[in-house]
Amino acid sequence: MQTSFCNAIDGGTLSVQFDEAKQIVIVNKIPQTKVSIDEKSMRFWNDKYAYNFNRENGALMVYLGEEVVGVLECSFKK
């Protein structure tokens, strides 16, 4: 299980844990039910927002529909 800690511009913190083998994502201790993980990105979503993490630039993009409504900087721990 790998954990990333993502910080919003407003100073908030989002803790994201993901297990690639099991396709599990836990956000702030809440398991996510809609998840997609591949070699380039990690994605999880709900009825309001879609979160897309791009491994190359270390940012977590928050989408509302097709519009980016937030960007979080992330660091990783294994």
Side-chain angles (χ1 to χ4, degrees):
M1 181 84 70
Q2 180 171 313
T3 302
S4 67
F5 294 94
C6 305
N7 296 303
I9 294 170
D10 65 6
T13 301
L14 182 70
S15 171
V16 181
Q17 295 176 284
F18 59 99
D19 184 324
E20 295 181 50
K22 295 180 182 178
Q23 296 279 297
I24 295 171
V25 175
I26 300 171
V27 179
N28 291 346
K29 300 183 180 179
I30 300 171
Q32 303 299 297
T33 58
K34 299 174 182 175
V35 175
S36 173
I37 300 174
D38 62 30
E39 66 278 352
K40 293 183 181 179
S41 66
M42 173 189 70
R43 186 169 179 259
F44 54 96
W45 62 96
N46 57 37
D47 294 336
K48 295 181 181 178
Y49 293 99
Y51 299 84
N52 188 20
F53 179 80
N54 183 324
R55 296 172 195 267
E56 293 176 4
N57 63 15
L60 184 69
M61 312 292 282
V62 182
Y63 291 88
L64 179 57
E66 296 294 318
E67 180 183 355
V68 175
V69 295
V71 179
L72 299 91
E73 294 296 325
C74 303
S75 61
F76 300 99
K77 294 182 180 179
K78 281 197 170 190

